Amino acid sequence: MAARLEQAVDGTTAAALQIFVDHADGCDEIQRKIIEVQSHPDQHKKLRLFPTPEAARLLRISESHLRGLVRQKGFPQGTVVGGNNRRAFTLAEVNEIRRLLFAATKDPRYRVGRQRERGEKLAVVTVANFKGGAAKTTHSVHLAQYLALQGYRVLLVDLDSQASATSMFGHVPDEEFDRLDTLYRLFTLDDGVRTASLHDLVRPTYWDGLDLIPANLGLYSTEFELPVRQIKQRELRFWRILADALPSIDDRYDVVVCDCPPSLSYLSINAVMAANFLLVPIPPSMLDFSSAGRFFRMVYETLSTLAQAEGGRVKTFDAVRLLVSKYAIADANQSQLVKWMSAVFADTLLENRMALTTGLDNAGNLKQSYYELESADMNRRTYERGLEYLNNVNAEIERVIWSIWGRPQIVESVR
């Protein structure tokens, strides 16, 4: 990391700026330690097993039904994890049981992925806001993981050069990835390395059904190179590069989740233009609310300008939703602001709020998501309460995706 940074400057400048190189290396070292502690002994993150009661809830069947399936030939057996033949299952096993149940019963409860034969299109959910600290990455990661738990095939695209979403999956981005491993390769000025396909950038994760396009600091070069490329290629529609690349992975996924940087950058504009579902997290505070207002004005002005560039073709969305994030339930001022938001944004504000919970904070400190925690990691009531908030929000977003697909909402939400 230090060598790459110092290549760009002479010796005197490098010496004067060395403190920043040292601090960058220090942050990477701490991040490695966190990953090593959590991933011991092989230093690779793994998803926990799901005990029979939890696996049954994901499958929307009773525990006794799942125990009966385990005894049937051809069904995954799980792993014995305790006395009385108690079993737990990997996510891949849960998804395989779900597929086998649908094959045997044709019950629509077990068919989760989009149905192309019915014209259900790729759902592209862009999570964006102008201000940092709105929980964009937190919710992008948890939404992608929730959908994977339900059996969808999901691609998470990290468009933020800070690479927090990438880090959540156990990576040290600036050590493990080159900028050509990121979306930079889609946008770069260099014809020799540029790709028009997202296939080359997709990385599997330790979550069955969930892939990642990573980010790192090099992704930020996009913001400097793309304007130059536009000058050289007058016909280039720089705002549609990501949208034009999506057909290359359309057959592999049901949902794409885009995690945006905290600005209306070239990358954010591409994510917004590629989306058919725009999700805007807003913490209930005056500063965040003011910033969100500016974000919406900037989106309006940007899309209006791009419409002119496209001969009057206006970008539209199948859904735009606001999510109350980082909600302190006991805070009277926040409660009042949420009431005002409900009155003003009645048609677009999600009914469920993402509350601040101790468990969510603890998970983030360990580079884990809430879905990777086990109830034994904290007080069970605290764990269940946090999980309920998270599942309720994500289940509501899932129903918005169903509405985009025109699908009858016949599947009950997981609690």
Side-chain angles (χ1 to χ4, degrees):
M1 177 66 177
R4 291 203 300 270
L5 288 174
E6 291 176 6
Q7 285 173 0
V9 297
D10 59 36
T12 303
T13 305
L17 299 178
Q18 185 62 38
I19 184 174
F20 299 110
V21 176
D22 293 341
H23 281 50
D25 290 342
C27 289
D28 287 345
E29 177 64 22
I30 292 172
Q31 188 170 331
R32 280 194 302 275
K33 289 182 181 297
I34 292 171
I35 292 170
E36 288 169 6
V37 167
Q38 193 215 326
S39 307
H40 184 78
D42 59 9
Q43 298 185 9
H44 292 285
K45 287 189 74 175
K46 295 180 180 178
L47 184 57
R48 64 183 176 86
L49 298 177
F50 295 88
T52 296
E54 194 171 354
R57 286 199 300 271
L58 288 173
L59 291 165
R60 298 181 172 87
I61 61 178
S62 66
E63 293 179 42
S64 59
H65 188 181
L66 178 55
R67 292 190 185 97
L69 292 175
V70 167
R71 292 192 290 269
Q72 293 185 24
K73 184 178 180 181
F75 277 83
Q77 303 298 298
T79 301
V80 177
V81 293
N84 300 320
N85 200 34
R86 286 183 295 174
R87 294 177 182 269
F89 301 82
T90 66
L91 180 56
E93 289 174 325
V94 172
N95 284 331
E96 177 62 15
I97 293 171
R98 187 183 280 118
R99 285 189 285 270
L100 291 171
L101 283 170
F102 178 73
T105 67
K106 304 304 179 185
D107 189 324
R109 287 182 301 166
Y110 308 128
R111 180 168 188 172
V112 179
R114 66 185 173 116
Q115 301 172 39
R116 291 171 180 79
E117 69 276 13
R118 294 185 62 247
E120 294 181 354
K121 59 187 175 183
L122 181 68
V124 182
V125 185
T126 289
V127 185
N129 195 333
F130 183 73
K131 188 176 182 296
K136 293 184 298 296
T137 296
T138 297
H139 207 76
S140 296
V141 170
H142 284 91
L143 174 61
Q145 292 179 348
Y146 168 88
L147 293 171
L149 287 172
Q150 312 313 312
Y152 298 94
R153 296 180 302 168
V154 186
L155 175 64
L156 176 61
V157 183
D158 192 349
L159 294 102
D160 188 350
S161 59
Q162 296 181 76
S164 296
T166 302
S167 298
M168 285 289 289
F169 286 89
H171 299 293
V172 183
D174 295 316
E175 291 190 357
E176 295 183 37
F177 302 119
D178 184 83
R179 65 180 178 178
L180 294 180
D181 297 321
T182 75
L183 279 182
Y184 168 82
R185 192 173 172 193
L186 195 68
F187 294 93
T188 180
L189 184 65
D190 189 342
D191 295 334
V193 300
R194 188 168 61 244
T195 181
S197 172
L198 295 175
H199 270 293
D200 303 330
L201 307 175
V202 170
R203 302 283 179 131
T205 73
Y206 53 92
W207 280 71
D208 185 64
L210 173 54
D211 293 338
L212 172 72
I213 294 182
N216 70 0
L217 189 59
L219 178 60
Y220 193 70
S221 300
T222 298
E223 302 299 328
F224 302 103
E225 291 194 27
L226 195 52
V228 179
R229 183 180 166 193
Q230 178 69 64
I231 292 172
K232 292 187 174 184
Q233 298 175 270
R234 294 290 186 179
E235 77 287 354
L236 179 69
R237 300 187 304 171
F238 71 84
W239 56 92
R240 287 195 177 273
I241 294 175
L242 179 57
D244 291 342
L246 284 174
S248 66
I249 49 90
D250 181 88
D251 62 333
R252 293 178 59 179
Y253 301 102
D254 304 307
V255 183
V256 174
V257 179
C258 297
D259 179 35
C260 289
S263 62
L264 202 59
S265 61
Y266 288 113
L267 288 166
S268 293
I269 290 170
N270 267 270
V272 169
M273 292 297 289
N276 44 41
F277 181 174
L278 183 62
L279 179 65
V280 184
I282 305 176
S285 74
M286 192 55 65
L287 288 177
D288 286 284
F289 197 64
S290 175
S291 176
R294 291 183 176 87
F295 168 77
F296 286 121
R297 288 189 180 90
M298 290 185 68
V299 170
Y300 169 80
E301 292 172 1
T302 301
L303 297 186
S304 296
T305 300
L306 295 180
Q308 295 176 23
E310 294 198 330
R313 178 186 174 190
V314 179
K315 166 65 182 176
T316 59
F317 302 92
D318 294 315
V320 176
R321 294 293 186 273
L322 279 60
L323 166 65
V324 175
S325 61
K326 303 176 74 171
Y327 179 35
I329 300 173
D331 188 315
N333 292 328
Q334 287 198 6
S335 297
Q336 181 60 58
L337 189 53
V338 169
K339 290 179 181 177
W340 292 340
M341 292 173 70
S342 299
V344 174
F345 304 114
D347 295 333
T348 56
L349 187 69
L350 293 176
E351 292 182 8
N352 291 283
R353 329 296 188 204
M354 190 55 241
L356 280 173
T357 64
T358 302
L360 197 59
D361 286 341
N362 290 343
N365 291 336
L366 294 173
K367 290 282 184 181
Q368 286 185 301
S369 73
Y370 205 93
Y371 289 124
E372 292 170 336
L373 294 177
E374 299 183 68
S375 58
D377 293 333
M378 67 183 73
N379 176 276
R380 185 170 184 84
R381 287 185 61 187
T382 300
Y383 172 82
E384 293 288 351
R385 184 168 61 251
L387 188 62
E388 182 178 13
Y389 284 124
L390 197 56
N391 279 342
N392 286 346
V393 167
N394 285 326
E396 186 175 357
I397 293 171
E398 182 185 18
R399 292 193 293 272
V400 176
I401 293 172
W402 293 341
S403 70
I404 291 173
W405 288 340
R407 177 181 298 188
Q409 299 188 13
I410 57 175
V411 181
E412 293 182 359
S413 304
V414 175
R415 298 295 186 228

